[in-house]
Amino acid sequence: MGLLSGVLLLPLAPVRGVVWISDRLVDAAEAELYDPAVIRVQLSELNRALDDGVIDLARFEREEEQLLDILDRKKAPVPGVRP
């Protein structure tokens, strides 16, 4: 980046900083969302809730399917989608 373009683009520096921070936040959130250890804990809590009678079987199956889908997506990345 030349001196002139650096000076002209200086007002955009805060915007670039916000974009960079938001990208890091999205990466961290996705890492936590798709972490297999976190999903296993959620599955365990879901099983415990079913055993304790807090949720019914239909809700258990629905939520379990969502969690297992997340695990499957993590194992087999979709082409063209950022992992």
PDB file of all heavy atoms in Angstrom, residues 8-45:
ATOM      1  N   LEU A   8      -5.373   8.215   2.025  1.00  0.00           N
ATOM      2  CA  LEU A   8      -6.756   8.337   1.548  1.00  0.00           C
ATOM      3  C   LEU A   8      -7.679   7.311   2.199  1.00  0.00           C
ATOM      4  O   LEU A   8      -8.862   7.577   2.405  1.00  0.00           O
ATOM      5  CB  LEU A   8      -6.807   8.194   0.027  1.00  0.00           C
ATOM      6  CG  LEU A   8      -6.166   9.329  -0.765  1.00  0.00           C
ATOM      7  CD1 LEU A   8      -6.189   8.998  -2.247  1.00  0.00           C
ATOM      8  CD2 LEU A   8      -6.893  10.649  -0.511  1.00  0.00           C
ATOM      9  N   LEU A   9      -7.159   6.131   2.507  1.00  0.00           N
ATOM     10  CA  LEU A   9      -7.988   5.080   3.092  1.00  0.00           C
ATOM     11  C   LEU A   9      -7.978   5.086   4.618  1.00  0.00           C
ATOM     12  O   LEU A   9      -8.641   4.263   5.245  1.00  0.00           O
ATOM     13  CB  LEU A   9      -7.542   3.712   2.577  1.00  0.00           C
ATOM     14  CG  LEU A   9      -7.728   3.490   1.075  1.00  0.00           C
ATOM     15  CD1 LEU A   9      -7.152   2.152   0.678  1.00  0.00           C
ATOM     16  CD2 LEU A   9      -9.181   3.603   0.682  1.00  0.00           C
ATOM     17  N   LEU A  10      -7.239   6.018   5.210  1.00  0.00           N
ATOM     18  CA  LEU A  10      -7.156   6.083   6.669  1.00  0.00           C
ATOM     19  C   LEU A  10      -8.519   6.235   7.348  1.00  0.00           C
ATOM     20  O   LEU A  10      -8.764   5.602   8.370  1.00  0.00           O
ATOM     21  CB  LEU A  10      -6.222   7.227   7.093  1.00  0.00           C
ATOM     22  CG  LEU A  10      -5.895   7.311   8.570  1.00  0.00           C
ATOM     23  CD1 LEU A  10      -5.196   6.031   9.022  1.00  0.00           C
ATOM     24  CD2 LEU A  10      -5.028   8.518   8.857  1.00  0.00           C
ATOM     25  N   PRO A  11      -9.448   7.020   6.791  1.00  0.00           N
ATOM     26  CA  PRO A  11     -10.766   7.112   7.443  1.00  0.00           C
ATOM     27  C   PRO A  11     -11.522   5.775   7.512  1.00  0.00           C
ATOM     28  O   PRO A  11     -12.426   5.611   8.318  1.00  0.00           O
ATOM     29  CB  PRO A  11     -11.532   8.112   6.580  1.00  0.00           C
ATOM     30  CG  PRO A  11     -10.479   8.933   5.927  1.00  0.00           C
ATOM     31  CD  PRO A  11      -9.324   7.988   5.707  1.00  0.00           C
ATOM     32  N   LEU A  12     -11.148   4.826   6.675  1.00  0.00           N
ATOM     33  CA  LEU A  12     -11.825   3.526   6.694  1.00  0.00           C
ATOM     34  C   LEU A  12     -11.215   2.559   7.705  1.00  0.00           C
ATOM     35  O   LEU A  12     -11.728   1.457   7.895  1.00  0.00           O
ATOM     36  CB  LEU A  12     -11.785   2.889   5.303  1.00  0.00           C
ATOM     37  CG  LEU A  12     -12.559   3.629   4.216  1.00  0.00           C
ATOM     38  CD1 LEU A  12     -12.369   2.920   2.885  1.00  0.00           C
ATOM     39  CD2 LEU A  12     -14.027   3.730   4.553  1.00  0.00           C
ATOM     40  N   ALA A  13     -10.148   2.937   8.363  1.00  0.00           N
ATOM     41  CA  ALA A  13      -9.482   2.050   9.315  1.00  0.00           C
ATOM     42  C   ALA A  13     -10.411   1.557  10.420  1.00  0.00           C
ATOM     43  O   ALA A  13     -10.402   0.364  10.739  1.00  0.00           O
ATOM     44  CB  ALA A  13      -8.245   2.731   9.893  1.00  0.00           C
ATOM     45  N   PRO A  14     -11.235   2.425  11.021  1.00  0.00           N
ATOM     46  CA  PRO A  14     -12.147   1.905  12.058  1.00  0.00           C
ATOM     47  C   PRO A  14     -13.137   0.868  11.518  1.00  0.00           C
ATOM     48  O   PRO A  14     -13.445  -0.108  12.190  1.00  0.00           O
ATOM     49  CB  PRO A  14     -12.890   3.146  12.549  1.00  0.00           C
ATOM     50  CG  PRO A  14     -11.995   4.285  12.208  1.00  0.00           C
ATOM     51  CD  PRO A  14     -11.285   3.885  10.945  1.00  0.00           C
ATOM     52  N   VAL A  15     -13.590   1.066  10.296  1.00  0.00           N
ATOM     53  CA  VAL A  15     -14.525   0.106   9.690  1.00  0.00           C
ATOM     54  C   VAL A  15     -13.819  -1.229   9.484  1.00  0.00           C
ATOM     55  O   VAL A  15     -14.367  -2.292   9.782  1.00  0.00           O
ATOM     56  CB  VAL A  15     -15.078   0.654   8.356  1.00  0.00           C
ATOM     57  CG1 VAL A  15     -15.906  -0.404   7.644  1.00  0.00           C
ATOM     58  CG2 VAL A  15     -15.883   1.911   8.587  1.00  0.00           C
ATOM     59  N   ARG A  16     -12.592  -1.180   8.964  1.00  0.00           N
ATOM     60  CA  ARG A  16     -11.837  -2.418   8.780  1.00  0.00           C
ATOM     61  C   ARG A  16     -11.589  -3.110  10.112  1.00  0.00           C
ATOM     62  O   ARG A  16     -11.619  -4.338  10.193  1.00  0.00           O
ATOM     63  CB  ARG A  16     -10.515  -2.128   8.077  1.00  0.00           C
ATOM     64  CG  ARG A  16     -10.704  -1.967   6.593  1.00  0.00           C
ATOM     65  CD  ARG A  16      -9.345  -1.953   5.916  1.00  0.00           C
ATOM     66  NE  ARG A  16      -9.247  -0.668   5.242  1.00  0.00           N
ATOM     67  CZ  ARG A  16      -8.188   0.117   5.234  1.00  0.00           C
ATOM     68  NH1 ARG A  16      -7.089  -0.247   5.840  1.00  0.00           N
ATOM     69  NH2 ARG A  16      -8.224   1.254   4.596  1.00  0.00           N
ATOM     70  N   GLY A  17     -11.361  -2.333  11.158  1.00  0.00           N
ATOM     71  CA  GLY A  17     -11.159  -2.916  12.481  1.00  0.00           C
ATOM     72  C   GLY A  17     -12.410  -3.619  12.989  1.00  0.00           C
ATOM     73  O   GLY A  17     -12.332  -4.713  13.542  1.00  0.00           O
ATOM     74  N   VAL A  18     -13.545  -2.997  12.790  1.00  0.00           N
ATOM     75  CA  VAL A  18     -14.815  -3.598  13.217  1.00  0.00           C
ATOM     76  C   VAL A  18     -15.090  -4.873  12.425  1.00  0.00           C
ATOM     77  O   VAL A  18     -15.529  -5.883  12.982  1.00  0.00           O
ATOM     78  CB  VAL A  18     -15.973  -2.589  13.073  1.00  0.00           C
ATOM     79  CG1 VAL A  18     -17.321  -3.262  13.242  1.00  0.00           C
ATOM     80  CG2 VAL A  18     -15.809  -1.445  14.060  1.00  0.00           C
ATOM     81  N   VAL A  19     -14.818  -4.852  11.131  1.00  0.00           N
ATOM     82  CA  VAL A  19     -15.020  -6.043  10.302  1.00  0.00           C
ATOM     83  C   VAL A  19     -14.100  -7.163  10.769  1.00  0.00           C
ATOM     84  O   VAL A  19     -14.515  -8.327  10.870  1.00  0.00           O
ATOM     85  CB  VAL A  19     -14.788  -5.716   8.806  1.00  0.00           C
ATOM     86  CG1 VAL A  19     -14.731  -6.979   7.974  1.00  0.00           C
ATOM     87  CG2 VAL A  19     -15.875  -4.784   8.298  1.00  0.00           C
ATOM     88  N   TRP A  20     -12.850  -6.833  11.064  1.00  0.00           N
ATOM     89  CA  TRP A  20     -11.898  -7.845  11.522  1.00  0.00           C
ATOM     90  C   TRP A  20     -12.361  -8.463  12.844  1.00  0.00           C
ATOM     91  O   TRP A  20     -12.348  -9.681  13.009  1.00  0.00           O
ATOM     92  CB  TRP A  20     -10.511  -7.226  11.694  1.00  0.00           C
ATOM     93  CG  TRP A  20      -9.481  -8.207  12.118  1.00  0.00           C
ATOM     94  CD1 TRP A  20      -8.781  -9.059  11.323  1.00  0.00           C
ATOM     95  CD2 TRP A  20      -9.042  -8.464  13.456  1.00  0.00           C
ATOM     96  NE1 TRP A  20      -7.932  -9.829  12.080  1.00  0.00           N
ATOM     97  CE2 TRP A  20      -8.067  -9.481  13.396  1.00  0.00           C
ATOM     98  CE3 TRP A  20      -9.369  -7.930  14.692  1.00  0.00           C
ATOM     99  CZ2 TRP A  20      -7.438  -9.968  14.538  1.00  0.00           C
ATOM    100  CZ3 TRP A  20      -8.737  -8.418  15.816  1.00  0.00           C
ATOM    101  CH2 TRP A  20      -7.782  -9.425  15.726  1.00  0.00           C
ATOM    102  N   ILE A  21     -12.792  -7.618  13.776  1.00  0.00           N
ATOM    103  CA  ILE A  21     -13.269  -8.111  15.076  1.00  0.00           C
ATOM    104  C   ILE A  21     -14.515  -8.973  14.894  1.00  0.00           C
ATOM    105  O   ILE A  21     -14.637 -10.032  15.507  1.00  0.00           O
ATOM    106  CB  ILE A  21     -13.540  -6.941  16.044  1.00  0.00           C
ATOM    107  CG1 ILE A  21     -12.210  -6.313  16.468  1.00  0.00           C
ATOM    108  CG2 ILE A  21     -14.329  -7.397  17.259  1.00  0.00           C
ATOM    109  CD1 ILE A  21     -12.357  -5.039  17.260  1.00  0.00           C
ATOM    110  N   SER A  22     -15.431  -8.535  14.045  1.00  0.00           N
ATOM    111  CA  SER A  22     -16.649  -9.330  13.840  1.00  0.00           C
ATOM    112  C   SER A  22     -16.319 -10.674  13.202  1.00  0.00           C
ATOM    113  O   SER A  22     -16.940 -11.685  13.538  1.00  0.00           O
ATOM    114  CB  SER A  22     -17.669  -8.559  13.009  1.00  0.00           C
ATOM    115  OG  SER A  22     -17.196  -8.352  11.699  1.00  0.00           O
ATOM    116  N   ASP A  23     -15.343 -10.708  12.292  1.00  0.00           N
ATOM    117  CA  ASP A  23     -14.923 -11.990  11.718  1.00  0.00           C
ATOM    118  C   ASP A  23     -14.357 -12.917  12.788  1.00  0.00           C
ATOM    119  O   ASP A  23     -14.625 -14.120  12.795  1.00  0.00           O
ATOM    120  CB  ASP A  23     -13.872 -11.780  10.624  1.00  0.00           C
ATOM    121  CG  ASP A  23     -14.468 -11.242   9.340  1.00  0.00           C
ATOM    122  OD1 ASP A  23     -15.703 -11.331   9.165  1.00  0.00           O
ATOM    123  OD2 ASP A  23     -13.682 -10.731   8.504  1.00  0.00           O
ATOM    124  N   ARG A  24     -13.567 -12.378  13.697  1.00  0.00           N
ATOM    125  CA  ARG A  24     -13.004 -13.199  14.779  1.00  0.00           C
ATOM    126  C   ARG A  24     -14.113 -13.704  15.696  1.00  0.00           C
ATOM    127  O   ARG A  24     -14.074 -14.848  16.159  1.00  0.00           O
ATOM    128  CB  ARG A  24     -12.005 -12.399  15.631  1.00  0.00           C
ATOM    129  CG  ARG A  24     -10.781 -11.857  14.914  1.00  0.00           C
ATOM    130  CD  ARG A  24      -9.848 -12.874  14.303  1.00  0.00           C
ATOM    131  NE  ARG A  24     -10.194 -13.487  13.045  1.00  0.00           N
ATOM    132  CZ  ARG A  24     -10.115 -12.933  11.830  1.00  0.00           C
ATOM    133  NH1 ARG A  24      -9.729 -11.709  11.688  1.00  0.00           N
ATOM    134  NH2 ARG A  24     -10.442 -13.602  10.748  1.00  0.00           N
ATOM    135  N   LEU A  25     -15.113 -12.872  15.982  1.00  0.00           N
ATOM    136  CA  LEU A  25     -16.229 -13.299  16.832  1.00  0.00           C
ATOM    137  C   LEU A  25     -17.041 -14.407  16.170  1.00  0.00           C
ATOM    138  O   LEU A  25     -17.441 -15.372  16.828  1.00  0.00           O
ATOM    139  CB  LEU A  25     -17.137 -12.114  17.163  1.00  0.00           C
ATOM    140  CG  LEU A  25     -16.566 -11.088  18.132  1.00  0.00           C
ATOM    141  CD1 LEU A  25     -17.491  -9.878  18.241  1.00  0.00           C
ATOM    142  CD2 LEU A  25     -16.348 -11.706  19.502  1.00  0.00           C
ATOM    143  N   VAL A  26     -17.273 -14.277  14.875  1.00  0.00           N
ATOM    144  CA  VAL A  26     -18.009 -15.318  14.145  1.00  0.00           C
ATOM    145  C   VAL A  26     -17.223 -16.623  14.161  1.00  0.00           C
ATOM    146  O   VAL A  26     -17.790 -17.702  14.387  1.00  0.00           O
ATOM    147  CB  VAL A  26     -18.315 -14.863  12.700  1.00  0.00           C
ATOM    148  CG1 VAL A  26     -18.774 -16.024  11.835  1.00  0.00           C
ATOM    149  CG2 VAL A  26     -19.337 -13.750  12.695  1.00  0.00           C
ATOM    150  N   ASP A  27     -15.914 -16.538  13.937  1.00  0.00           N
ATOM    151  CA  ASP A  27     -15.083 -17.744  13.966  1.00  0.00           C
ATOM    152  C   ASP A  27     -15.133 -18.419  15.334  1.00  0.00           C
ATOM    153  O   ASP A  27     -15.256 -19.643  15.427  1.00  0.00           O
ATOM    154  CB  ASP A  27     -13.630 -17.408  13.614  1.00  0.00           C
ATOM    155  CG  ASP A  27     -13.467 -17.005  12.156  1.00  0.00           C
ATOM    156  OD1 ASP A  27     -14.390 -17.278  11.348  1.00  0.00           O
ATOM    157  OD2 ASP A  27     -12.423 -16.414  11.827  1.00  0.00           O
ATOM    158  N   ALA A  28     -15.057 -17.620  16.400  1.00  0.00           N
ATOM    159  CA  ALA A  28     -15.094 -18.188  17.751  1.00  0.00           C
ATOM    160  C   ALA A  28     -16.458 -18.810  18.050  1.00  0.00           C
ATOM    161  O   ALA A  28     -16.544 -19.893  18.640  1.00  0.00           O
ATOM    162  CB  ALA A  28     -14.765 -17.113  18.782  1.00  0.00           C
ATOM    163  N   ALA A  29     -17.524 -18.147  17.629  1.00  0.00           N
ATOM    164  CA  ALA A  29     -18.865 -18.672  17.869  1.00  0.00           C
ATOM    165  C   ALA A  29     -19.093 -19.971  17.105  1.00  0.00           C
ATOM    166  O   ALA A  29     -19.663 -20.930  17.643  1.00  0.00           O
ATOM    167  CB  ALA A  29     -19.914 -17.637  17.471  1.00  0.00           C
ATOM    168  N   GLU A  30     -18.627 -20.022  15.856  1.00  0.00           N
ATOM    169  CA  GLU A  30     -18.780 -21.248  15.078  1.00  0.00           C
ATOM    170  C   GLU A  30     -17.945 -22.384  15.659  1.00  0.00           C
ATOM    171  O   GLU A  30     -18.383 -23.533  15.672  1.00  0.00           O
ATOM    172  CB  GLU A  30     -18.397 -21.000  13.621  1.00  0.00           C
ATOM    173  CG  GLU A  30     -19.428 -20.195  12.866  1.00  0.00           C
ATOM    174  CD  GLU A  30     -19.006 -19.906  11.441  1.00  0.00           C
ATOM    175  OE1 GLU A  30     -17.832 -20.118  11.089  1.00  0.00           O
ATOM    176  OE2 GLU A  30     -19.878 -19.458  10.679  1.00  0.00           O
ATOM    177  N   ALA A  31     -16.757 -22.053  16.142  1.00  0.00           N
ATOM    178  CA  ALA A  31     -15.912 -23.081  16.749  1.00  0.00           C
ATOM    179  C   ALA A  31     -16.589 -23.672  17.979  1.00  0.00           C
ATOM    180  O   ALA A  31     -16.557 -24.887  18.200  1.00  0.00           O
ATOM    181  CB  ALA A  31     -14.553 -22.500  17.118  1.00  0.00           C
ATOM    182  N   GLU A  32     -17.226 -22.824  18.767  1.00  0.00           N
ATOM    183  CA  GLU A  32     -17.917 -23.315  19.960  1.00  0.00           C
ATOM    184  C   GLU A  32     -19.192 -24.064  19.598  1.00  0.00           C
ATOM    185  O   GLU A  32     -19.503 -25.092  20.187  1.00  0.00           O
ATOM    186  CB  GLU A  32     -18.253 -22.147  20.888  1.00  0.00           C
ATOM    187  CG  GLU A  32     -18.864 -22.578  22.192  1.00  0.00           C
ATOM    188  CD  GLU A  32     -19.095 -21.419  23.141  1.00  0.00           C
ATOM    189  OE1 GLU A  32     -18.336 -20.445  23.086  1.00  0.00           O
ATOM    190  OE2 GLU A  32     -20.050 -21.514  23.926  1.00  0.00           O
ATOM    191  N   LEU A  33     -19.905 -23.568  18.596  1.00  0.00           N
ATOM    192  CA  LEU A  33     -21.163 -24.199  18.191  1.00  0.00           C
ATOM    193  C   LEU A  33     -20.939 -25.593  17.630  1.00  0.00           C
ATOM    194  O   LEU A  33     -21.691 -26.516  17.916  1.00  0.00           O
ATOM    195  CB  LEU A  33     -21.873 -23.335  17.145  1.00  0.00           C
ATOM    196  CG  LEU A  33     -23.165 -23.900  16.568  1.00  0.00           C
ATOM    197  CD1 LEU A  33     -24.235 -23.991  17.651  1.00  0.00           C
ATOM    198  CD2 LEU A  33     -23.644 -23.047  15.413  1.00  0.00           C
ATOM    199  N   TYR A  34     -19.883 -25.750  16.835  1.00  0.00           N
ATOM    200  CA  TYR A  34     -19.636 -27.016  16.167  1.00  0.00           C
ATOM    201  C   TYR A  34     -18.613 -27.888  16.869  1.00  0.00           C
ATOM    202  O   TYR A  34     -18.199 -28.909  16.323  1.00  0.00           O
ATOM    203  CB  TYR A  34     -19.198 -26.767  14.722  1.00  0.00           C
ATOM    204  CG  TYR A  34     -20.265 -26.079  13.903  1.00  0.00           C
ATOM    205  CD1 TYR A  34     -20.042 -24.839  13.333  1.00  0.00           C
ATOM    206  CD2 TYR A  34     -21.498 -26.676  13.719  1.00  0.00           C
ATOM    207  CE1 TYR A  34     -21.015 -24.207  12.584  1.00  0.00           C
ATOM    208  CE2 TYR A  34     -22.484 -26.052  12.971  1.00  0.00           C
ATOM    209  CZ  TYR A  34     -22.233 -24.825  12.411  1.00  0.00           C
ATOM    210  OH  TYR A  34     -23.205 -24.205  11.677  1.00  0.00           O
ATOM    211  N   ASP A  35     -18.215 -27.537  18.083  1.00  0.00           N
ATOM    212  CA  ASP A  35     -17.246 -28.331  18.825  1.00  0.00           C
ATOM    213  C   ASP A  35     -17.900 -29.645  19.244  1.00  0.00           C
ATOM    214  O   ASP A  35     -18.925 -29.654  19.928  1.00  0.00           O
ATOM    215  CB  ASP A  35     -16.769 -27.562  20.057  1.00  0.00           C
ATOM    216  CG  ASP A  35     -15.713 -28.298  20.849  1.00  0.00           C
ATOM    217  OD1 ASP A  35     -15.186 -29.311  20.351  1.00  0.00           O
ATOM    218  OD2 ASP A  35     -15.411 -27.857  21.972  1.00  0.00           O
ATOM    219  N   PRO A  36     -17.337 -30.771  18.820  1.00  0.00           N
ATOM    220  CA  PRO A  36     -17.947 -32.068  19.157  1.00  0.00           C
ATOM    221  C   PRO A  36     -18.080 -32.307  20.661  1.00  0.00           C
ATOM    222  O   PRO A  36     -19.053 -32.924  21.097  1.00  0.00           O
ATOM    223  CB  PRO A  36     -16.984 -33.083  18.533  1.00  0.00           C
ATOM    224  CG  PRO A  36     -16.291 -32.349  17.452  1.00  0.00           C
ATOM    225  CD  PRO A  36     -16.185 -30.931  17.929  1.00  0.00           C
ATOM    226  N   ALA A  37     -17.152 -31.807  21.448  1.00  0.00           N
ATOM    227  CA  ALA A  37     -17.246 -31.996  22.902  1.00  0.00           C
ATOM    228  C   ALA A  37     -18.459 -31.262  23.462  1.00  0.00           C
ATOM    229  O   ALA A  37     -19.176 -31.796  24.331  1.00  0.00           O
ATOM    230  CB  ALA A  37     -15.976 -31.504  23.576  1.00  0.00           C
ATOM    231  N   VAL A  38     -18.711 -30.066  22.973  1.00  0.00           N
ATOM    232  CA  VAL A  38     -19.873 -29.295  23.431  1.00  0.00           C
ATOM    233  C   VAL A  38     -21.160 -29.994  23.013  1.00  0.00           C
ATOM    234  O   VAL A  38     -22.117 -30.092  23.792  1.00  0.00           O
ATOM    235  CB  VAL A  38     -19.821 -27.851  22.878  1.00  0.00           C
ATOM    236  CG1 VAL A  38     -21.100 -27.101  23.179  1.00  0.00           C
ATOM    237  CG2 VAL A  38     -18.619 -27.106  23.442  1.00  0.00           C
ATOM    238  N   ILE A  39     -21.187 -30.519  21.800  1.00  0.00           N
ATOM    239  CA  ILE A  39     -22.391 -31.206  21.314  1.00  0.00           C
ATOM    240  C   ILE A  39     -22.643 -32.474  22.122  1.00  0.00           C
ATOM    241  O   ILE A  39     -23.789 -32.788  22.452  1.00  0.00           O
ATOM    242  CB  ILE A  39     -22.265 -31.501  19.813  1.00  0.00           C
ATOM    243  CG1 ILE A  39     -22.231 -30.171  19.046  1.00  0.00           C
ATOM    244  CG2 ILE A  39     -23.418 -32.363  19.331  1.00  0.00           C
ATOM    245  CD1 ILE A  39     -21.935 -30.308  17.576  1.00  0.00           C
ATOM    246  N   ARG A  40     -21.581 -33.187  22.480  1.00  0.00           N
ATOM    247  CA  ARG A  40     -21.764 -34.385  23.312  1.00  0.00           C
ATOM    248  C   ARG A  40     -22.330 -34.032  24.679  1.00  0.00           C
ATOM    249  O   ARG A  40     -23.179 -34.756  25.221  1.00  0.00           O
ATOM    250  CB  ARG A  40     -20.435 -35.116  23.458  1.00  0.00           C
ATOM    251  CG  ARG A  40     -20.050 -35.873  22.228  1.00  0.00           C
ATOM    252  CD  ARG A  40     -18.843 -36.760  22.457  1.00  0.00           C
ATOM    253  NE  ARG A  40     -18.204 -37.025  21.192  1.00  0.00           N
ATOM    254  CZ  ARG A  40     -17.092 -36.443  20.750  1.00  0.00           C
ATOM    255  NH1 ARG A  40     -16.460 -35.572  21.506  1.00  0.00           N
ATOM    256  NH2 ARG A  40     -16.604 -36.738  19.568  1.00  0.00           N
ATOM    257  N   VAL A  41     -21.882 -32.927  25.248  1.00  0.00           N
ATOM    258  CA  VAL A  41     -22.425 -32.481  26.537  1.00  0.00           C
ATOM    259  C   VAL A  41     -23.901 -32.137  26.379  1.00  0.00           C
ATOM    260  O   VAL A  41     -24.732 -32.494  27.231  1.00  0.00           O
ATOM    261  CB  VAL A  41     -21.624 -31.278  27.082  1.00  0.00           C
ATOM    262  CG1 VAL A  41     -22.336 -30.623  28.246  1.00  0.00           C
ATOM    263  CG2 VAL A  41     -20.224 -31.715  27.480  1.00  0.00           C
ATOM    264  N   GLN A  42     -24.248 -31.465  25.284  1.00  0.00           N
ATOM    265  CA  GLN A  42     -25.657 -31.119  25.048  1.00  0.00           C
ATOM    266  C   GLN A  42     -26.498 -32.377  24.864  1.00  0.00           C
ATOM    267  O   GLN A  42     -27.637 -32.439  25.348  1.00  0.00           O
ATOM    268  CB  GLN A  42     -25.778 -30.215  23.822  1.00  0.00           C
ATOM    269  CG  GLN A  42     -25.210 -28.831  24.041  1.00  0.00           C
ATOM    270  CD  GLN A  42     -25.190 -27.998  22.768  1.00  0.00           C
ATOM    271  OE1 GLN A  42     -25.208 -28.531  21.661  1.00  0.00           O
ATOM    272  NE2 GLN A  42     -25.139 -26.690  22.944  1.00  0.00           N
ATOM    273  N   LEU A  43     -25.961 -33.373  24.176  1.00  0.00           N
ATOM    274  CA  LEU A  43     -26.690 -34.637  24.028  1.00  0.00           C
ATOM    275  C   LEU A  43     -26.881 -35.325  25.378  1.00  0.00           C
ATOM    276  O   LEU A  43     -27.949 -35.879  25.665  1.00  0.00           O
ATOM    277  CB  LEU A  43     -25.948 -35.566  23.068  1.00  0.00           C
ATOM    278  CG  LEU A  43     -26.078 -35.247  21.585  1.00  0.00           C
ATOM    279  CD1 LEU A  43     -25.077 -36.066  20.775  1.00  0.00           C
ATOM    280  CD2 LEU A  43     -27.485 -35.493  21.115  1.00  0.00           C
ATOM    281  N   SER A  44     -25.863 -35.271  26.214  1.00  0.00           N
ATOM    282  CA  SER A  44     -25.954 -35.861  27.546  1.00  0.00           C
ATOM    283  C   SER A  44     -27.026 -35.156  28.379  1.00  0.00           C
ATOM    284  O   SER A  44     -27.827 -35.802  29.062  1.00  0.00           O
ATOM    285  CB  SER A  44     -24.600 -35.780  28.243  1.00  0.00           C
ATOM    286  OG  SER A  44     -24.695 -36.206  29.567  1.00  0.00           O
ATOM    287  N   GLU A  45     -27.025 -33.830  28.324  1.00  0.00           N
ATOM    288  CA  GLU A  45     -28.043 -33.065  29.058  1.00  0.00           C
ATOM    289  C   GLU A  45     -29.441 -33.359  28.526  1.00  0.00           C
ATOM    290  O   GLU A  45     -30.409 -33.428  29.287  1.00  0.00           O
ATOM    291  CB  GLU A  45     -27.745 -31.576  28.967  1.00  0.00           C
ATOM    292  CG  GLU A  45     -26.507 -31.163  29.731  1.00  0.00           C
ATOM    293  CD  GLU A  45     -26.104 -29.719  29.484  1.00  0.00           C
ATOM    294  OE1 GLU A  45     -26.734 -29.046  28.630  1.00  0.00           O
ATOM    295  OE2 GLU A  45     -25.146 -29.264  30.140  1.00  0.00           O
TER     296      GLU A  45
END
